[in-house]
Amino acid sequence: MTLPSDLIFSQTSLQDLVDCRRRFQLRHLEQLAWPAIESEPVLENEKRMRAGSQFHKLAHQYVLGLPVDRLTALAGEGQLADWWLAFLQSGLVDQPGQKYPERLLSCTIAGHRLVAKYDLLLKSDGDKWVIYDWKTGRYTPKRETLERRMQTIIYPLVLVEAGHVLNEGNAVLPSQIEMNYWYAEDPGTTISFPYSDEQYTRDRAYIENTIEELKLLREEDFPLTTEKRRCEYCVYRSLCGRGEAAGTGDYEEIAELLEPSEEVEIDFEQLAEVEF
Amino acid sequence: MTELSSGQLDIAEASLDSKVFLQGVAGTGKTAAGIARLQYLLDQGVQAENILVLVPQRALGLPYAQAVQEQSGTQMIDFLTIGGLARRMVDLYWPLIAEEAGFAQPNEPPIFLTLETAQYYMARIVEPKFEHGVFESVSIPSYRLYSQVIDNLDKAAGVGFPHTEIAARLRPADLEDPGKARVFYDVQSCANEFREYCLAHNLLDFSLQLEVFLEHLWSPGTLCQEYLIRQYTHTIVDNLEEKVPVAHDMLLEWLPSFSSALLIYDQEAGNRRFLGADPDSALRLSESCHEDIEFTESFVMGSELTSFSESLRYIVLQGEAHPPKKWPAMHELETILPYQHHVYFPAMLDWVVNEIRMLVHDQGVSPGEIAVLAPYLSDSLRYSLVERLNNQEISVSTHRPSRSLSEEPVIECLINLAKLAHLGWGYKPTRQEITFMLMQAVGELDLVRAQLLAEHVYGERDGALEAFESISAEIQERVTYQVGERYERLRNWLRDYMATEEEELDFFLSSLFGEVLSQPGFGFHEDYNAGQLTANLIESVQKFRWIAGDILEESERTLGQEYIHMVEQGVIAAQYIGSWTTAQDESVLIAPAYTFLMRNQPVDYQFWLNIGSTDWYQRLYQPLTHPEVLSRRWPEGRKWTMEDEEQYARESMARLTVGLVRRCRKAIYLGLSELNEAGYEMTGDLQKALNSILKRAPRGTL
């Protein structure tokens, strides 16, 4: 099939593609709004996601140099304040170096854009590039699970492909890169993935093949996942005849669902186009 | 990419320290030059993140983003509106400015209001005043009253005068009617109270976002201004004439800091004047640029349409424009201006659809090259056209920016189900509403059986749904057991829900959608439009909850109850901002004429409906505000006269109609009927102007 020329791949869309082709088709090709409950308990999950978004904003503001006392006041009390305190105590963003918060990079692979939005890119004085991703979900996944996630594959890959725009035109080499996940609920835990030339070569070929394979599919080649448990946490379950109620949140795989959306949004601002 | 003219290439490849003011009428290739300039900057090694593309609204930025995105490479362009930039900066730098800007809770995050939530808060302020006679002489629906007070605040922010001067500016212009002085006093007091309420609760409507940004963040030496100046070294500003004066002021200050700038100005436009756009103010920027270049050659219109556009402008403006270089000859008009007389409106629609059928099916014209335009697009007109075109197997997309969400049958169904599930809120649907709800919710249920079912299972007095098995076997059989089984599932789901603790309205709707309505056999299953509409409603409720939830905790009404109340008042879900990207390339576009103008994408063929209507030029009735009197152009204290009104109408019609012609490549079909949709006779000024042009050519009047 011919993919839309403006289709942009991200870790979210490629994760959907490998998890369930039908989900990818509905969500990213047809862009179908299907507002069922994603997971229960819905109110608690929403609170966590909103707090996660606020945490990401505080981290961004901190890197921009806003006074820490005012940010701490904004963090208030409770869960967000705990995360914020842990974040300050970690000292991760106080390391010397050039910092790029909330930075979007993109490259072209197999004729399509692939984008990554980094919570923080840190170019240390020793020419090392550290990717930080703040995680505010309930669970800290196993390292092996995380290693297979598209985010772990795509973020370093895009930095190699497009990092020159931040590096005075010089290439960023795989051996310079490290991918770090920092868990606000488990603040002593940072899970790191060093990167290498071999890993880069493998990852690039994998992503290229994944997109090329997608191009060969016909409309009817988007089957449902065989792992039915996933459907409990998918809004399209009613469309696919895969159940009624949303799953409750003790399934490790849904940890990602409870993160604030890292779906890349190109923030096309919208002024009210209405008549008064 | 299409080949560029030498003029466009000169613009695109201007030096990296150039400041260019590019002007020309629509269709002369200015935006194409702007896109080429953007690509040139990127090719020269400028980073996309350092380029500010500023547009007046989302639709006009998409061609820039898409042109870059479709190229191979690593660059992606983001584009902003002035409102978007203000909101983004206020959000980011809030901790620095909240206190000095006068917000009472600087340690709490800002709450950005949408138009509908701003209307909600305005309603909270204004509604209690009705019983004291406030606005009793104003005969417009209350939701329009709220939106006009908000519009005044937006105008004050966009034009750059204190919001406390609204009445002082409006009053002298309307001296004829002494009763209006009281009305303007009430407008002012409501605007003041609204602003105070916003400051007390960290609420930021559009006007406050803009004011806070310009007064507290866009100041020399602030962290925010330093950030913006460091971040953006090059800019391309398109449709400069559609921006508000304070945006022009900001650009005037910012311009020296940019390495390069391309400012694009559409002559004879200013289609968003009613929202505060000020083309005269925009022209000030030309003096700050190194070069002022004008494009004059149309890439869209042929010579016949060019003659026609010049003639139309000359006639409409009653000689105040340049006379046409050449009046179009009759044989030319016959080609570019096909028309047929009809007495009745439906016959005119049949003619329009038949002409479109011939274009598409006989002449192979792509449906995407056809636009059907009317000054105002009613639901019934939209429905009639869509039905007729679909019957001809022609795909259609419609775009109405202010389409009413609450009038959609899918939404009515959901709202009625919410009422049934929350009887304590005090809303009981009528039997007729239950009938239509059942038609939507229960799959494959026609009107007759839905009526039958509603009649036998629904008690209007207590709002209860009875079991299917409680009705007679004969009726069960007529309704069918299959429908009965689905009805029972829906009823049981509602019963189970009512037996538990009440959920937030958006969660209730989401569960109802996912667990029942979109399940196989039910009305929303595989209905993508129903999915989209439900998502829109849920988003509206969710935003309402996030913004009004805390404040409502002190109220006697629950959030869901308040939401439904506001829907019934027309305050919420009355305006849904639709997506511009939903217009499909291979579909005939049906849209209001202004919407088509602002979309800025020419087509081969246009169909103009309701030629005799006064809506082509008459100003929307806005007794509480005034786009001209509140503009910077208006001399302080001057009275708005009938002559001003007529002049405004002529200029509006010239801008609109000539703007449409300039976005047409081949022909404009005129849909003429003596009687309008409502059966009234129509002989408006546009029809007279067109007649006048035809009379100058041998053999012709409309």
Side-chain angles (χ1 to χ4, degrees):
Chain A
M1 71 186 297
T2 309
L3 298 176
S5 61
D6 59 354
L7 180 66
I8 299 175
F9 289 99
S10 66
Q11 56 126 341
T12 312
S13 64
L14 285 170
Q15 190 67 54
D16 283 342
L17 182 63
V18 295
D19 285 350
C20 175
R21 282 187 178 173
R22 178 65 174 150
R23 178 174 160 94
F24 173 84
Q25 184 185 36
L26 292 169
R27 186 175 176 189
H28 303 285
L29 293 179
E30 299 185 11
Q31 296 180 15
L32 176 62
W34 207 248
I37 299 279
E38 196 164 29
S39 68
E40 293 281 4
V42 62
L43 188 58
E44 191 184 311
N45 292 344
E46 181 192 88
K47 277 185 185 157
R48 177 170 286 273
M49 277 199 279
R50 291 185 73 189
S53 294
Q54 284 175 284
F55 173 79
H56 278 73
K57 191 160 76 184
L58 287 171
H60 185 188
Q61 289 167 322
Y62 182 76
V63 178
L64 285 178
L66 271 64
V68 69
D69 57 330
R70 297 204 189 178
L71 297 178
T72 302
L74 262 179
E77 293 173 355
Q79 188 178 51
L80 178 59
D82 294 344
W83 295 347
W84 177 242
L85 189 64
F87 175 77
L88 292 177
Q89 285 171 347
S90 76
L92 287 173
V93 293
D94 298 325
Q95 302 170 73
Q98 184 72 39
K99 290 166 195 135
Y100 301 94
E102 295 295 325
R103 181 61 209 232
L104 186 77
L105 288 178
S106 88
C107 62
T108 304
I109 291 187
H112 281 271
R113 285 303 176 104
L114 175 63
V115 297
K117 191 173 183 188
Y118 303 91
D119 289 342
L120 179 66
L121 275 173
L122 172 72
K123 185 193 179 190
S124 71
D125 294 343
D127 256 6
K128 191 173 177 186
W129 287 81
V130 186
I131 301 166
Y132 282 107
D133 198 76
W134 322 128
K135 293 291 185 195
T136 51
R138 200 178 293 141
Y139 304 99
T140 304
K142 292 190 191 103
R143 184 182 172 83
E144 309 84 76
T145 308
L146 210 50
E147 195 168 18
R148 292 194 302 271
R149 300 294 297 174
M150 274 292 173
Q151 187 176 11
T152 311
I153 296 170
I154 285 168
Y155 276 38
L157 170 63
V158 174
L159 183 55
V160 174
E161 296 281 329
H164 61 276
V165 304
L166 303 176
N167 202 25
E168 294 167 350
N170 300 313
V172 174
L173 303 174
S175 56
Q176 292 175 272
I177 297 173
E178 185 180 278
M179 171 89 197
N180 283 340
Y181 293 99
W182 180 80
Y183 287 86
E185 283 280 325
D186 190 5
T189 306
T190 301
I191 303 180
S192 293
F193 293 92
Y195 208 46
S196 66
D197 288 343
E198 296 75 33
Q199 188 68 44
Y200 164 69
T201 308
R202 268 202 306 274
D203 288 351
R204 198 181 197 293
Y206 172 59
I207 297 298
E208 197 164 14
N209 287 342
T210 304
I211 297 174
E212 290 296 352
E213 275 175 23
L214 173 65
K215 289 182 193 171
L216 297 175
L217 299 181
R218 295 163 301 165
E219 271 192 34
E220 56 271 29
D221 291 338
F222 287 86
L224 310 184
T225 179
T226 52
E227 198 178 331
K228 291 186 179 175
R229 188 82 201 274
R230 288 189 193 284
C231 304
E232 291 177 35
Y233 305 96
C234 174
V235 293
Y236 298 115
R237 75 185 78 85
S238 61
L239 199 59
C240 301
R242 285 276 175 94
E244 294 178 3
T248 51
D250 22 335
Y251 180 47
E252 191 183 320
E253 289 281 335
I254 72 152
E256 287 296 312
L257 291 179
L258 303 182
E259 293 291 341
S261 171
E262 285 173 358
E263 183 86 54
V264 172
E265 280 180 22
I266 303 167
D267 195 1
F268 299 141
E269 301 296 343
Q270 197 170 328
L271 194 66
E273 295 152 0
V274 294
E275 293 167 18
F276 291 94
Chain B
M1 195 177 147
T2 52
E3 209 167 296
L4 296 173
S5 69
S6 62
Q8 287 172 317
L9 272 176
D10 288 344
I11 297 286
E13 297 177 1
S15 67
L16 294 190
D17 60 358
S18 65
K19 311 265 171 76
V20 177
F21 192 90
L22 172 62
Q23 53 180 316
V25 297
T28 50
K30 302 183 300 302
T31 295
I35 291 168
R37 172 66 177 173
L38 176 60
Q39 286 168 335
Y40 179 76
L41 289 173
L42 297 173
D43 291 345
Q44 295 301 301
V46 177
Q47 297 306 314
E49 60 164 358
N50 298 130
I51 305 171
L52 173 67
V53 176
L54 205 56
V55 291
Q57 66 184 35
R58 171 189 161 81
L60 299 169
L62 287 171
Y64 285 89
Q66 281 163 356
V68 176
Q69 197 177 301
E70 284 172 11
Q71 284 193 329
S72 166
T74 57
Q75 304 274 33
M76 288 191 69
I77 200 80
D78 193 1
F79 55 85
L80 289 167
T81 62
I82 180 71
L85 181 67
R87 180 185 161 143
R88 196 184 277 190
M89 292 301 111
V90 171
D91 194 27
L92 208 51
Y93 290 97
W94 172 259
L96 288 182
I97 49 91
E99 195 164 2
E100 70 180 53
F103 289 94
Q105 303 168 56
N107 292 333
E108 294 294 323
I111 300 168
F112 296 98
L113 299 180
T114 60
L115 181 64
E116 69 175 13
T117 47
Q119 285 195 176
Y120 166 70
Y121 280 110
M122 186 60 82
R124 281 175 67 98
I125 285 165
V126 179
E127 207 176 45
K129 296 179 188 292
F130 289 151
E131 59 188 71
H132 303 296
V134 170
F135 296 127
E136 68 183 359
S137 63
V138 181
S139 53
I140 54 172
S142 52
Y143 67 87
R144 287 199 59 214
L145 195 148
Y146 310 143
S147 71
Q148 287 181 37
V149 181
I150 291 169
D151 188 35
N152 282 325
L153 284 161
D154 292 348
K155 293 277 192 321
V159 173
F161 63 85
H163 74 275
T164 48
E165 289 180 11
I166 292 166
R169 287 171 183 252
L170 287 171
R171 206 182 300 124
D174 208 351
L175 290 172
E176 293 289 287
D177 181 358
K180 286 297 276 295
R182 167 68 205 260
V183 170
F184 292 140
Y185 170 83
D186 291 338
V187 165
Q188 185 66 68
S189 101
C190 291
N192 294 351
E193 269 188 58
F194 178 78
R195 176 59 59 87
E196 284 160 21
Y197 190 87
C198 285
L199 289 170
H201 294 86
N202 283 14
L203 304 173
L204 289 102
D205 65 319
F206 175 78
S207 70
L208 197 48
Q209 290 168 40
L210 203 53
E211 283 185 27
V212 170
F213 171 62
L214 291 169
E215 286 175 24
H216 299 278
L217 291 170
W218 183 254
S219 308
T222 58
L223 204 57
C224 175
Q225 193 185 60
E226 282 173 9
Y227 165 79
L228 287 172
I229 288 175
R230 197 175 54 246
Q231 178 72 28
Y232 297 115
T233 49
H234 300 266
T235 188
I236 298 169
V237 185
D238 206 344
N239 291 98
L240 193 63
E241 78 291 343
E242 304 296 347
K243 294 183 173 54
V244 292
V246 295
H248 304 138
D249 296 343
M250 185 184 74
L251 284 168
L252 275 167
E253 288 170 25
W254 200 344
L255 209 53
S257 304
F258 286 113
S259 299
S260 85
L262 172 61
L263 309 182
I264 300 174
Y265 178 91
D266 205 350
Q267 293 169 335
E268 296 166 22
N271 299 306
R272 292 159 55 96
R273 275 174 189 254
F274 73 100
L275 286 172
D278 193 332
D280 299 341
S281 161
L283 280 173
R284 292 179 292 149
L285 280 146
S286 69
E287 291 160 16
S288 299
C289 291
H290 304 138
E291 288 183 277
D292 185 348
I293 294 171
E294 184 178 8
F295 280 0
T296 53
E297 190 188 340
S298 174
F299 288 91
V300 177
M301 296 184 297
S303 60
E304 296 89 353
L305 277 166
T306 302
S307 299
F308 172 61
S309 73
E310 289 171 358
S311 312
L312 185 59
R313 184 170 156 74
Y314 182 72
I315 294 288
V316 170
L317 292 177
Q318 301 187 355
E320 286 182 21
H322 291 298
K325 292 186 194 81
K326 168 182 160 305
W327 289 91
M330 194 62 205
H331 69 276
E332 291 174 329
L333 288 174
E334 281 171 352
T335 310
I336 61 165
L337 220 58
Y339 65 88
Q340 196 175 87
H341 259 296
H342 303 92
V343 175
Y344 298 108
F345 196 77
M348 183 272 288
L349 292 185
D350 289 339
W351 174 77
V352 166
V353 170
N354 191 43
E355 293 295 320
I356 293 174
R357 183 191 62 76
M358 287 195 290
L359 285 172
V360 173
H361 293 321
D362 301 347
Q363 298 176 37
V365 172
S366 163
E369 286 298 339
I370 299 170
V372 183
L373 308 168
Y376 171 71
L377 187 63
S378 67
D379 276 336
S380 60
L381 174 55
R382 184 170 66 99
Y383 178 79
S384 304
L385 279 166
V386 170
E387 281 292 296
R388 282 169 165 86
L389 287 165
N390 284 345
N391 287 342
Q392 299 297 331
E393 295 178 346
I394 295 170
S395 134
V396 182
S397 62
T398 65
H399 183 78
R400 266 177 57 194
S402 53
R403 180 174 164 190
S404 171
L405 189 60
S406 57
E407 287 169 15
E408 296 284 350
V410 163
I411 303 300
E412 287 175 354
C413 164
L414 291 164
I415 296 281
N416 282 315
L417 282 165
K419 289 178 182 174
L420 282 179
H422 304 91
L423 289 172
W425 292 353
Y427 300 106
K428 287 195 190 73
T430 63
R431 185 163 289 135
Q432 191 183 19
E433 286 171 331
I434 293 297
T435 301
F436 288 120
M437 177 277 285
L438 289 169
M439 279 177 73
Q440 289 290 325
V442 180
E444 296 163 26
L445 182 58
D446 58 45
L447 177 63
V448 174
R449 286 182 301 155
Q451 272 175 329
L452 198 61
L453 184 58
E455 195 180 320
H456 287 85
V457 296
Y458 182 60
E460 262 183 331
R461 193 177 300 169
D462 59 3
L465 290 174
E466 299 299 331
F468 188 68
E469 63 184 20
S470 71
I471 60 181
S472 73
E474 185 206 338
I475 300 296
Q476 285 186 29
E477 198 168 335
R478 282 174 66 193
V479 172
T480 76
Y481 294 107
Q482 196 182 32
V483 164
E485 188 266 330
R486 287 186 209 133
Y487 164 76
E488 272 304 298
R489 271 181 69 187
L490 175 63
R491 192 182 78 90
N492 288 337
W493 189 93
L494 289 170
R495 188 198 58 203
D496 292 348
Y497 170 81
M498 290 163 82
T500 59
E501 195 180 339
E502 184 178 313
E503 284 189 4
E504 297 291 1
L505 178 57
D506 47 335
F507 297 152
F508 162 82
L509 292 169
S510 211
S511 301
L512 176 64
F513 173 85
E515 294 172 20
V516 186
L517 300 178
S518 67
Q519 288 291 330
F522 285 88
F524 293 10
H525 187 64
E526 295 188 341
D527 183 343
Y528 289 9
N529 185 48
Q532 182 64 60
L533 288 166
T534 308
N536 293 340
L537 178 67
I538 289 173
E539 188 187 352
S540 167
V541 179
Q542 186 188 55
K543 283 182 179 165
F544 182 71
R545 175 165 58 83
W546 287 355
I547 289 171
D550 288 346
I551 287 160
L552 270 171
E553 278 179 11
E554 300 154 19
S555 153
E556 288 174 4
R557 281 192 183 135
T558 66
L559 187 126
Q561 198 174 11
E562 184 76 343
Y563 186 88
I564 302 280
H565 174 66
M566 286 295 139
V567 169
E568 307 229 311
Q569 296 289 308
V571 174
I572 277 184
Q575 291 161 325
Y576 166 65
I577 314 301
S579 167
W580 286 86
T581 54
T582 52
Q584 294 150 13
D585 291 343
E586 293 306 313
S587 304
V588 171
L589 175 73
I590 302 174
Y594 270 113
T595 305
F596 176 78
L597 267 196
M598 290 310 298
R599 192 170 173 251
N600 203 22
Q601 287 173 11
V603 292
D604 284 351
Y605 299 96
Q606 293 176 10
F607 286 76
W608 293 4
L609 308 186
N610 291 340
I611 298 296
S613 167
T614 56
D615 292 336
W616 286 95
Y617 48 90
Q618 265 185 358
R619 202 160 57 87
L620 200 64
Y621 178 59
Q622 292 181 303
L624 306 186
T625 184
H626 202 299
E628 284 300 295
V629 170
L630 293 181
S631 74
R632 275 195 196 169
R633 299 177 293 281
W634 192 252
E636 202 175 320
R638 200 188 130 188
K639 187 172 176 295
W640 178 260
T641 64
M642 189 54 79
E643 289 73 37
D644 292 319
E645 189 70 50
E646 286 168 1
Q647 176 75 8
Y648 184 86
R650 283 195 296 275
E651 287 175 1
S652 297
M653 183 159 71
R655 258 196 314 275
L656 175 58
T657 56
V658 175
L660 294 179
V661 181
R662 286 183 179 141
R663 288 165 177 82
C664 182
R665 295 191 195 91
K666 294 183 176 165
I668 296 165
Y669 289 71
L670 303 177
L672 291 161
S673 63
E674 284 177 29
L675 306 178
N676 67 8
E677 274 178 281
Y680 296 110
E681 202 171 342
M682 300 190 290
T683 48
D685 288 352
L686 176 59
Q687 187 164 336
K688 288 175 191 159
L690 293 167
N691 260 329
S692 178
I693 293 169
L694 287 162
K695 273 180 191 164
R696 287 176 183 261
R699 297 184 292 113
T701 56
L702 296 181

